[in-house]
Amino acid sequence: MSAADEPGRGLRVIVDPGVCLGGGQCELICPDVFEVSYVSRVRVEHVDPLHADAVRTAADACPSGAIRILDGDMAKGGGEPRT
Amino acid sequence: MNDFGFDPLDPVVWQNPWPYFARGRDEFPAYRHQDTLARSVSVFRHEDVSAILKDWETFSSSSPADMNEGGLGELASLMAEDPPEHTRLRDHVRGAFSLAAVKGYAAAIERLADEILDELLERGTFDAAADYAGQLTARTILTVLGLPASDWRRIREWTVRGAANVTRSHFVREAEPEADRSVEAIFTEMAAYLDGFVHQADALPDGSLLRSLVQAAPGADRLSPRELRALAALTLLAGNETTTTLLAGAVLTLEQRPNQARALRAEPELAASAVEETLRFRPPVPALPRRATRNLTLHGVEIAKDDNIVVWLASANRDQRVFSEADQFDIRRGLSPQAISFGRGVHTCLGMPLARLEGRIGLERLYRRTRAIELLEPSPPLVLAPGVYAFERLPVRVTP
């Protein structure tokens, strides 16, 4: 576990609307964070540490690869995108 | 050394391909088929299947210019294009099948399932693939498009035969001109059928998919009549036999395991989870074809530009490197995030939420309304085509 993964240290998640197909697998995996309208969107961008694992699972499993997790200290404006 | 001999068009192999997939993953992760007309390589491991599907630039979905595109000819559409053309076509339909959009179909699908079951339960003995799953999915997709649901038998006939053609050409050992002609005839017939609706979109129901596509706002990127027809054909082809196979496959897999069938009957709300497990365990689309756009080497196998690469989703989903107890069917396993049942990358199946919804409702209604389902053929015959792991028939006797 890197420092960036520690609870409260700023796990952020974004959905790329140009890539998302609206399949909603993320909503099935973690409805507290993801919601699908026309395409999927993030309900809460700053993820409660409670949902960190589910968000990573959803990002990893997104078939179209639309979900990105930004690790890092939010005070510095986020870190490197990861998928 | 090459004594693997995996031939998906061999009926004995196709009836039980799982030991071949296991051996492929362990010993022949990339396997060049020996006697096929086309130059084809099968890929079996989860890691490779996933990576290939995500890399559309190296592994293209389009055919070389001199080839009939994926056997679909004039009806070739989304599935046989790469970006940017693929992205343009896809953007016309992607919202229409999003999870949010299909939730609105749930009540109608449930009514339809019950209406079909009213008749079938009266009969007692029926074909669970054609009469139940096939009818439910064909009538649903026709309704979504705005076409007459009463045409479902004709559409089903076309799509079953059309789907059987997909990917088959990669494995045949000799030319099949007669079969090719008969599939061509189907697509010609289907194109003429769809043309009629495309040219009279005003007569289609308000809010139906085909009408909205035809009447896209002026100024927006418009689809040509040929593109509209092809997109409608793809929706019918992709949205029919696949979901039929999902639902029928769930029934077969459950009834071959009485404990699992009992668990679902005791708790029908497990249907969603059972559908997910069926998708992993027995994906309706077991293989997807791609074409190499450059020379490369995979697990020591030399692949030349324009060689066919067939990735086996059905094998990836049983990869013990990724799934624990991968060969166990457990309806309580729920959604497997790593399962590659709907593909990966830009060509990920747009119909994913609709397939899940139809599968869940179809299974739940069937198990809520029956006390027992008896398989009349323990090992029902399969359609010999790697494109869809479909049934010739799935005869059952039910006790209401």
Side-chain angles (χ1 to χ4, degrees):
Chain A
M1 200 185 219
S2 72
D5 287 348
E6 282 170 28
R9 285 294 297 274
L11 181 68
R12 293 172 59 219
V13 59
I14 53 173
V15 174
D16 183 341
V19 176
C20 176
L21 297 178
Q25 193 153 289
C26 52
E27 186 180 311
L28 299 179
I29 293 171
C30 190
D32 287 325
V33 172
F34 300 100
E35 179 182 29
V36 178
S37 48
Y38 175 81
V39 293
S40 301
R41 66 185 184 87
V42 174
R43 213 192 272 273
V44 282
E45 193 177 311
H46 302 295
V47 176
D48 187 321
L50 194 68
H51 300 308
D53 284 347
V55 166
R56 287 185 197 285
T57 301
D60 203 35
C62 174
S64 56
I67 302 173
R68 281 175 191 280
I69 288 176
L70 308 172
D71 279 330
D73 189 339
M74 272 146 32
K76 292 177 193 160
E80 289 298 301
R82 302 182 352 165
T83 44
Chain B
M1 258 318 287
N2 205 337
D3 60 348
F4 182 35
F6 170 59
D7 176 8
L9 298 186
D10 176 336
V12 177
V13 172
W14 198 232
Q15 205 68 29
N16 183 19
W18 314 104
Y20 284 88
F21 294 155
R23 189 155 176 235
R25 288 191 300 270
D26 289 342
E27 297 174 44
F28 303 94
Y31 171 69
R32 179 171 290 285
H33 292 264
Q34 299 298 307
D35 309 316
T36 50
L37 268 187
R39 290 172 54 87
S40 300
V41 173
S42 278
V43 175
F44 297 103
R45 284 189 193 159
H46 185 281
E47 185 185 10
D48 298 322
V49 170
S50 175
I52 287 170
L53 291 175
K54 285 176 181 171
D55 182 0
W56 61 264
E57 285 172 298
T58 312
F59 302 99
S60 166
S61 291
S62 73
S63 306
D66 60 337
M67 276 178 59
N68 178 1
E69 294 174 68
L72 293 173
E74 281 286 293
L75 292 183
S77 182
L78 271 183
M79 267 174 77
E81 297 274 8
D82 295 321
E85 190 49 27
H86 167 267
T87 314
R88 182 187 151 250
L89 290 172
R90 183 198 66 185
D91 282 351
H92 279 274
V93 278
R94 68 172 171 166
F97 293 106
S98 73
L99 180 61
V102 307
K103 280 175 183 165
Y105 297 130
I109 296 172
E110 200 162 310
R111 275 197 305 275
L112 179 56
D114 275 330
E115 181 195 321
I116 296 169
L117 282 172
D118 286 344
E119 191 226 317
L120 295 179
L121 297 189
E122 187 90 2
R123 267 161 59 184
T125 302
F126 57 91
D127 180 346
D131 300 335
Y132 183 55
Q135 182 176 180
L136 180 64
T137 54
R139 286 173 67 176
T140 300
I141 198 71
L142 281 166
T143 306
V144 169
L145 271 166
L147 304 177
S150 53
D151 285 344
W152 74 270
R153 282 177 209 279
R154 183 155 43 143
I155 295 298
R156 187 173 147 69
E157 164 78 13
W158 287 337
T159 55
V160 168
R161 292 169 63 195
N165 189 48
V166 178
T167 319
R168 187 180 158 85
S169 63
H170 297 345
F171 299 108
V172 296
R173 290 167 188 233
E174 45 199 77
E176 299 177 322
E178 221 164 285
D180 289 347
R181 266 195 302 276
S182 112
V183 171
E184 225 167 274
I186 290 172
F187 289 141
T188 306
E189 225 178 307
M190 203 165 154
Y193 171 83
L194 291 169
D195 265 342
F197 295 103
V198 168
H199 291 298
Q200 289 184 16
D202 289 347
L204 296 171
D206 253 337
S208 63
L209 178 58
L210 192 53
R211 180 164 172 166
S212 337
L213 286 173
V214 175
Q215 299 178 338
D221 169 45
R222 300 290 289 259
L223 296 170
S224 71
R226 181 193 172 280
E227 287 173 330
L228 284 163
R229 178 179 83 182
L231 210 48
L234 173 66
T235 307
L236 288 175
L237 281 166
N240 237 326
E241 194 58 358
T242 49
T243 310
T244 299
T245 299
L246 170 61
L247 180 49
V251 173
L252 174 72
T253 314
L254 282 159
E255 294 305 326
Q256 285 173 333
R257 293 163 182 75
N259 287 341
Q260 297 283 319
R262 262 197 301 278
L264 178 59
R265 192 160 276 113
E267 283 179 76
E269 47 296 350
L270 281 173
S273 177
V275 164
E276 295 299 334
E277 179 65 339
T278 306
L279 283 164
R280 181 195 71 83
F281 190 80
R282 191 189 185 290
V285 176
L288 284 170
R290 291 292 185 265
R291 178 179 59 86
T293 57
R294 58 173 172 83
N295 298 339
L296 60 122
T297 306
L298 186 63
H299 295 293
V301 174
E302 309 245 331
I303 294 169
K305 181 176 181 297
D306 288 339
D307 276 4
N308 299 301
I309 319 283
V310 178
V311 294
W312 288 92
L313 313 187
S315 172
N317 282 358
R318 300 278 192 108
D319 195 331
Q320 65 282 17
R321 294 160 192 82
V322 175
F323 304 95
S324 64
E325 302 195 68
D327 286 322
Q328 287 298 312
F329 178 80
D330 177 3
I331 62 166
R332 293 175 190 275
R333 193 190 295 250
L335 190 154
S336 294
Q338 298 301 327
I340 314 187
S341 315
F342 293 103
R344 278 275 188 278
V346 298
H347 287 283
T348 297
C349 177
L350 278 172
M352 178 166 72
L354 184 58
R356 284 185 159 130
L357 184 70
E358 289 179 74
R360 193 261 294 162
I361 294 174
L363 199 59
E364 189 175 328
R365 294 316 299 162
L366 179 64
Y367 278 78
R368 276 195 197 278
R369 295 191 56 185
T370 54
R371 276 184 296 147
I373 299 172
E374 184 193 343
L375 297 173
L376 298 179
E377 282 180 280
S379 188
L382 299 163
V383 178
L384 210 52
V388 188
Y389 203 49
F391 299 95
E392 293 281 358
R393 58 183 180 271
L394 180 58
V396 295
R397 182 183 302 124
V398 300
T399 313

